[in-house]
Amino acid sequence: MPSSAAPLRIGFVMLHTSPLDVPGTKDAGGMNVVVRAQADALARAGHEVTIFTRRSDPAPPARTVLESGLAVVQIDAGPPRLLAKGEHEGVMGEFGALLDAELQRAPVDLLHAEHWFSGIAALPVARRAGVPLVQSYHSIAAPPESPLTDGERPESPGRLAGERRLAHEVDLVIAVSEAERRTVLERLDGDEDRVRVVPLGVDTELFHPCATRDCEEDRDWFGSGGRPEAIVVGRLHPLKGFDLVIEAVAVLPPDQRPMLRIVGAPPPDGDDYVRALHEAVARHGMLCTTAFDGALRRGELADRIRRAAVMLVPSHSETFGLVALEAAASGIPVIARDAGGLREAVIDGETGVLVAGDDPRVWADALSALLADPDRLAALGRGARAHALTRNWGASADRLLEVYRELLAGARGGAQRETSVVSKE
Ligand code: UDP
């Protein structure tokens, strides 16, 4: 067992999405950003970090070194193409066996599984290797009785059961917010003693307020008489609720509508939702004032966000909602749904506004009130930036490391692992 200050060999397991993918495309989103930022910070602190992912593309080499101390290893489980979410369950066993073989060649001190597919695949591997397993869910299945949003596919039957099993069998669960911690306890019947909150960070150098004249000019709608811009960012999935934003903008009289910028690409099974968004824009006569940008790389995305007047985050469910913190770092107020982790990402009245429910008129009121009040926009923008400056990835990775060390010191992990192994027999 490594001493309390020794560098660790940490294995992140990311079965269904690769850290090499651009966030906002395929299945890559907040989880990819979080894992990459925490892995970067841990590698910079001298730890040896390997991210194990399923090969979904024939191109990358078996091992890609991203920086000193940080590598991505492709596990050849299943076909080398993107899988729709429901298909991953069929490759979890093969992925686990191949991961095990990798770890026999190059052991790690600890495994950290991201999303439930990875946790189920890694559980027997961690047991065999005798190392602790930490689980991050990123999102947790809605209870079976909850209604589906239009176009949303039902959860696979195995998901909630798999997530529950992990809550009981892994050594520690990491939640990204108090809201997610409560969901683990309530929905998965998790053990309060084995859940830790590790707050997310934001890159405040990449996401910063306007610092150039042309950017300032873009934001000078009141001076120029142009339209302010409202931006939404994320994978184009029904859970994100971007359709509600289109409906809300449509409620406003045409001359008072902001430009609407929609950034992100659909997940592998998301074409129907994208079609529905385009149709709604056309139906409301908003083609000339709406832009579909597709997925943007981080630098371009940051530039887009800082030029907007306001970001909307109407997601039906969000364990945290990283985009809200990225907007805050850019000095942009956020109008977000009053639910889940968004209540922690946005401080109502200080960094943005929280809105309850699905009535487009209520969202339209919040939007038009804010856009009509430049002083309030500016004050919320300053509050947002100040809030974001209190969050950074270094601190997030330090907290994660504390949790790892706690486990490795045997304060929790050893005993829990023994119980798990015994209860399996
Ligand atoms: N993102 C991006 N480019 C895009 C769309 C999204 O880099 O075109 C990033 C976004 O900045 C954020 C992440 O993808 O960091 C999405 O995270 P969030 O927590 O908002 O949603 P999730 O994908 O986890 O549901």
Side-chain angles (χ1 to χ4, degrees), residues 390-407:
T390 66
R391 317 275 301 236
N392 67 74
W393 285 118
S396 174
D398 286 349
R399 174 72 189 119
L400 190 57
L401 198 59
E402 246 173 60
V403 172
Y404 292 166
R405 297 262 190 226
E406 174 192 1
L407 263 181

PDB file of all heavy atoms in Angstrom, residues 390-407:
ATOM      1  N   THR A 390     -14.086  31.283  -7.024  1.00  0.00           N
ATOM      2  CA  THR A 390     -13.888  30.498  -5.797  1.00  0.00           C
ATOM      3  C   THR A 390     -13.793  28.995  -6.104  1.00  0.00           C
ATOM      4  O   THR A 390     -13.593  28.197  -5.207  1.00  0.00           O
ATOM      5  CB  THR A 390     -15.044  30.708  -4.784  1.00  0.00           C
ATOM      6  OG1 THR A 390     -16.257  30.168  -5.342  1.00  0.00           O
ATOM      7  CG2 THR A 390     -15.245  32.181  -4.458  1.00  0.00           C
ATOM      8  N   ARG A 391     -13.987  28.613  -7.391  1.00  0.00           N
ATOM      9  CA  ARG A 391     -13.971  27.181  -7.731  1.00  0.00           C
ATOM     10  C   ARG A 391     -12.822  26.918  -8.697  1.00  0.00           C
ATOM     11  O   ARG A 391     -12.729  27.563  -9.730  1.00  0.00           O
ATOM     12  CB  ARG A 391     -15.274  26.790  -8.457  1.00  0.00           C
ATOM     13  CG  ARG A 391     -16.537  27.356  -7.889  1.00  0.00           C
ATOM     14  CD  ARG A 391     -17.070  26.527  -6.789  1.00  0.00           C
ATOM     15  NE  ARG A 391     -17.354  25.171  -7.196  1.00  0.00           N
ATOM     16  CZ  ARG A 391     -18.558  24.595  -7.060  1.00  0.00           C
ATOM     17  NH1 ARG A 391     -19.569  25.274  -6.605  1.00  0.00           N
ATOM     18  NH2 ARG A 391     -18.725  23.336  -7.391  1.00  0.00           N
ATOM     19  N   ASN A 392     -11.958  26.011  -8.396  1.00  0.00           N
ATOM     20  CA  ASN A 392     -10.955  25.660  -9.406  1.00  0.00           C
ATOM     21  C   ASN A 392     -10.684  24.160  -9.386  1.00  0.00           C
ATOM     22  O   ASN A 392     -10.941  23.469  -8.407  1.00  0.00           O
ATOM     23  CB  ASN A 392      -9.684  26.501  -9.264  1.00  0.00           C
ATOM     24  CG  ASN A 392      -8.965  26.173  -7.984  1.00  0.00           C
ATOM     25  OD1 ASN A 392      -8.345  25.125  -7.875  1.00  0.00           O
ATOM     26  ND2 ASN A 392      -9.075  27.062  -6.989  1.00  0.00           N
ATOM     27  N   TRP A 393     -10.143  23.679 -10.497  1.00  0.00           N
ATOM     28  CA  TRP A 393      -9.937  22.232 -10.648  1.00  0.00           C
ATOM     29  C   TRP A 393      -8.843  21.708  -9.725  1.00  0.00           C
ATOM     30  O   TRP A 393      -8.865  20.539  -9.325  1.00  0.00           O
ATOM     31  CB  TRP A 393      -9.620  21.887 -12.108  1.00  0.00           C
ATOM     32  CG  TRP A 393     -10.819  21.947 -12.998  1.00  0.00           C
ATOM     33  CD1 TRP A 393     -11.017  22.766 -14.065  1.00  0.00           C
ATOM     34  CD2 TRP A 393     -12.003  21.134 -12.906  1.00  0.00           C
ATOM     35  NE1 TRP A 393     -12.256  22.518 -14.625  1.00  0.00           N
ATOM     36  CE2 TRP A 393     -12.868  21.525 -13.945  1.00  0.00           C
ATOM     37  CE3 TRP A 393     -12.410  20.119 -12.039  1.00  0.00           C
ATOM     38  CZ2 TRP A 393     -14.119  20.927 -14.144  1.00  0.00           C
ATOM     39  CZ3 TRP A 393     -13.651  19.528 -12.231  1.00  0.00           C
ATOM     40  CH2 TRP A 393     -14.487  19.928 -13.277  1.00  0.00           C
ATOM     41  N   GLY A 394      -7.874  22.563  -9.385  1.00  0.00           N
ATOM     42  CA  GLY A 394      -6.816  22.129  -8.469  1.00  0.00           C
ATOM     43  C   GLY A 394      -7.427  21.731  -7.130  1.00  0.00           C
ATOM     44  O   GLY A 394      -7.131  20.664  -6.571  1.00  0.00           O
ATOM     45  N   ALA A 395      -8.334  22.579  -6.625  1.00  0.00           N
ATOM     46  CA  ALA A 395      -8.973  22.299  -5.334  1.00  0.00           C
ATOM     47  C   ALA A 395      -9.853  21.056  -5.447  1.00  0.00           C
ATOM     48  O   ALA A 395      -9.920  20.230  -4.522  1.00  0.00           O
ATOM     49  CB  ALA A 395      -9.805  23.501  -4.903  1.00  0.00           C
ATOM     50  N   SER A 396     -10.510  20.901  -6.581  1.00  0.00           N
ATOM     51  CA  SER A 396     -11.366  19.739  -6.792  1.00  0.00           C
ATOM     52  C   SER A 396     -10.512  18.456  -6.757  1.00  0.00           C
ATOM     53  O   SER A 396     -10.864  17.474  -6.092  1.00  0.00           O
ATOM     54  CB  SER A 396     -12.074  19.901  -8.146  1.00  0.00           C
ATOM     55  OG  SER A 396     -12.806  18.773  -8.474  1.00  0.00           O
ATOM     56  N   ALA A 397      -9.366  18.486  -7.454  1.00  0.00           N
ATOM     57  CA  ALA A 397      -8.490  17.300  -7.476  1.00  0.00           C
ATOM     58  C   ALA A 397      -7.886  17.044  -6.096  1.00  0.00           C
ATOM     59  O   ALA A 397      -7.713  15.886  -5.694  1.00  0.00           O
ATOM     60  CB  ALA A 397      -7.401  17.484  -8.528  1.00  0.00           C
ATOM     61  N   ASP A 398      -7.581  18.113  -5.343  1.00  0.00           N
ATOM     62  CA  ASP A 398      -7.042  17.915  -3.981  1.00  0.00           C
ATOM     63  C   ASP A 398      -8.049  17.176  -3.116  1.00  0.00           C
ATOM     64  O   ASP A 398      -7.703  16.295  -2.336  1.00  0.00           O
ATOM     65  CB  ASP A 398      -6.730  19.266  -3.310  1.00  0.00           C
ATOM     66  CG  ASP A 398      -5.478  19.908  -3.892  1.00  0.00           C
ATOM     67  OD1 ASP A 398      -4.757  19.216  -4.650  1.00  0.00           O
ATOM     68  OD2 ASP A 398      -5.238  21.098  -3.609  1.00  0.00           O
ATOM     69  N   ARG A 399      -9.303  17.567  -3.236  1.00  0.00           N
ATOM     70  CA  ARG A 399     -10.353  16.917  -2.439  1.00  0.00           C
ATOM     71  C   ARG A 399     -10.506  15.443  -2.856  1.00  0.00           C
ATOM     72  O   ARG A 399     -10.667  14.557  -2.014  1.00  0.00           O
ATOM     73  CB  ARG A 399     -11.677  17.689  -2.623  1.00  0.00           C
ATOM     74  CG  ARG A 399     -12.864  17.065  -1.980  1.00  0.00           C
ATOM     75  CD  ARG A 399     -12.846  17.185  -0.444  1.00  0.00           C
ATOM     76  NE  ARG A 399     -13.895  16.385   0.164  1.00  0.00           N
ATOM     77  CZ  ARG A 399     -13.702  15.374   1.012  1.00  0.00           C
ATOM     78  NH1 ARG A 399     -12.478  15.049   1.385  1.00  0.00           N
ATOM     79  NH2 ARG A 399     -14.701  14.696   1.508  1.00  0.00           N
ATOM     80  N   LEU A 400     -10.408  15.225  -4.169  1.00  0.00           N
ATOM     81  CA  LEU A 400     -10.506  13.848  -4.673  1.00  0.00           C
ATOM     82  C   LEU A 400      -9.372  12.996  -4.091  1.00  0.00           C
ATOM     83  O   LEU A 400      -9.580  11.868  -3.644  1.00  0.00           O
ATOM     84  CB  LEU A 400     -10.417  13.887  -6.206  1.00  0.00           C
ATOM     85  CG  LEU A 400     -10.724  12.619  -6.977  1.00  0.00           C
ATOM     86  CD1 LEU A 400     -12.121  12.093  -6.643  1.00  0.00           C
ATOM     87  CD2 LEU A 400     -10.631  12.895  -8.481  1.00  0.00           C
ATOM     88  N   LEU A 401      -8.189  13.581  -4.084  1.00  0.00           N
ATOM     89  CA  LEU A 401      -7.022  12.868  -3.562  1.00  0.00           C
ATOM     90  C   LEU A 401      -7.192  12.539  -2.077  1.00  0.00           C
ATOM     91  O   LEU A 401      -6.837  11.448  -1.625  1.00  0.00           O
ATOM     92  CB  LEU A 401      -5.788  13.749  -3.771  1.00  0.00           C
ATOM     93  CG  LEU A 401      -4.457  13.048  -3.686  1.00  0.00           C
ATOM     94  CD1 LEU A 401      -4.350  11.944  -4.724  1.00  0.00           C
ATOM     95  CD2 LEU A 401      -3.333  14.071  -3.919  1.00  0.00           C
ATOM     96  N   GLU A 402      -7.772  13.497  -1.344  1.00  0.00           N
ATOM     97  CA  GLU A 402      -8.033  13.244   0.078  1.00  0.00           C
ATOM     98  C   GLU A 402      -8.909  12.009   0.253  1.00  0.00           C
ATOM     99  O   GLU A 402      -8.683  11.186   1.132  1.00  0.00           O
ATOM    100  CB  GLU A 402      -8.836  14.430   0.623  1.00  0.00           C
ATOM    101  CG  GLU A 402      -8.152  15.294   1.650  1.00  0.00           C
ATOM    102  CD  GLU A 402      -9.065  16.485   1.917  1.00  0.00           C
ATOM    103  OE1 GLU A 402     -10.227  16.322   2.359  1.00  0.00           O
ATOM    104  OE2 GLU A 402      -8.585  17.595   1.636  1.00  0.00           O
ATOM    105  N   VAL A 403      -9.921  11.917  -0.634  1.00  0.00           N
ATOM    106  CA  VAL A 403     -10.844  10.782  -0.567  1.00  0.00           C
ATOM    107  C   VAL A 403     -10.096   9.486  -0.895  1.00  0.00           C
ATOM    108  O   VAL A 403     -10.235   8.469  -0.211  1.00  0.00           O
ATOM    109  CB  VAL A 403     -12.031  11.004  -1.535  1.00  0.00           C
ATOM    110  CG1 VAL A 403     -12.894   9.769  -1.632  1.00  0.00           C
ATOM    111  CG2 VAL A 403     -12.864  12.195  -1.090  1.00  0.00           C
ATOM    112  N   TYR A 404      -9.252   9.520  -1.936  1.00  0.00           N
ATOM    113  CA  TYR A 404      -8.465   8.332  -2.292  1.00  0.00           C
ATOM    114  C   TYR A 404      -7.583   7.910  -1.113  1.00  0.00           C
ATOM    115  O   TYR A 404      -7.492   6.744  -0.768  1.00  0.00           O
ATOM    116  CB  TYR A 404      -7.540   8.627  -3.487  1.00  0.00           C
ATOM    117  CG  TYR A 404      -8.207   8.882  -4.827  1.00  0.00           C
ATOM    118  CD1 TYR A 404      -7.472   9.440  -5.878  1.00  0.00           C
ATOM    119  CD2 TYR A 404      -9.544   8.564  -5.077  1.00  0.00           C
ATOM    120  CE1 TYR A 404      -8.028   9.661  -7.125  1.00  0.00           C
ATOM    121  CE2 TYR A 404     -10.113   8.795  -6.318  1.00  0.00           C
ATOM    122  CZ  TYR A 404      -9.350   9.346  -7.338  1.00  0.00           C
ATOM    123  OH  TYR A 404      -9.904   9.574  -8.576  1.00  0.00           O
ATOM    124  N   ARG A 405      -6.913   8.914  -0.522  1.00  0.00           N
ATOM    125  CA  ARG A 405      -5.976   8.587   0.575  1.00  0.00           C
ATOM    126  C   ARG A 405      -6.726   8.003   1.767  1.00  0.00           C
ATOM    127  O   ARG A 405      -6.233   7.106   2.441  1.00  0.00           O
ATOM    128  CB  ARG A 405      -5.243   9.857   1.036  1.00  0.00           C
ATOM    129  CG  ARG A 405      -4.376  10.496  -0.037  1.00  0.00           C
ATOM    130  CD  ARG A 405      -2.939  10.100   0.114  1.00  0.00           C
ATOM    131  NE  ARG A 405      -2.063  10.870  -0.741  1.00  0.00           N
ATOM    132  CZ  ARG A 405      -1.091  10.334  -1.480  1.00  0.00           C
ATOM    133  NH1 ARG A 405      -0.896   9.023  -1.470  1.00  0.00           N
ATOM    134  NH2 ARG A 405      -0.325  11.091  -2.213  1.00  0.00           N
ATOM    135  N   GLU A 406      -7.900   8.546   2.009  1.00  0.00           N
ATOM    136  CA  GLU A 406      -8.723   8.046   3.114  1.00  0.00           C
ATOM    137  C   GLU A 406      -8.993   6.547   2.895  1.00  0.00           C
ATOM    138  O   GLU A 406      -8.855   5.731   3.806  1.00  0.00           O
ATOM    139  CB  GLU A 406     -10.041   8.834   3.133  1.00  0.00           C
ATOM    140  CG  GLU A 406     -11.068   8.338   4.123  1.00  0.00           C
ATOM    141  CD  GLU A 406     -12.458   8.965   3.895  1.00  0.00           C
ATOM    142  OE1 GLU A 406     -12.627   9.769   2.961  1.00  0.00           O
ATOM    143  OE2 GLU A 406     -13.356   8.628   4.647  1.00  0.00           O
ATOM    144  N   LEU A 407      -9.342   6.196   1.670  1.00  0.00           N
ATOM    145  CA  LEU A 407      -9.629   4.792   1.354  1.00  0.00           C
ATOM    146  C   LEU A 407      -8.391   3.936   1.489  1.00  0.00           C
ATOM    147  O   LEU A 407      -8.419   2.859   2.068  1.00  0.00           O
ATOM    148  CB  LEU A 407     -10.078   4.697  -0.104  1.00  0.00           C
ATOM    149  CG  LEU A 407     -11.548   4.653  -0.386  1.00  0.00           C
ATOM    150  CD1 LEU A 407     -11.761   4.536  -1.881  1.00  0.00           C
ATOM    151  CD2 LEU A 407     -12.178   3.471   0.328  1.00  0.00           C
TER     152      LEU A 407
END
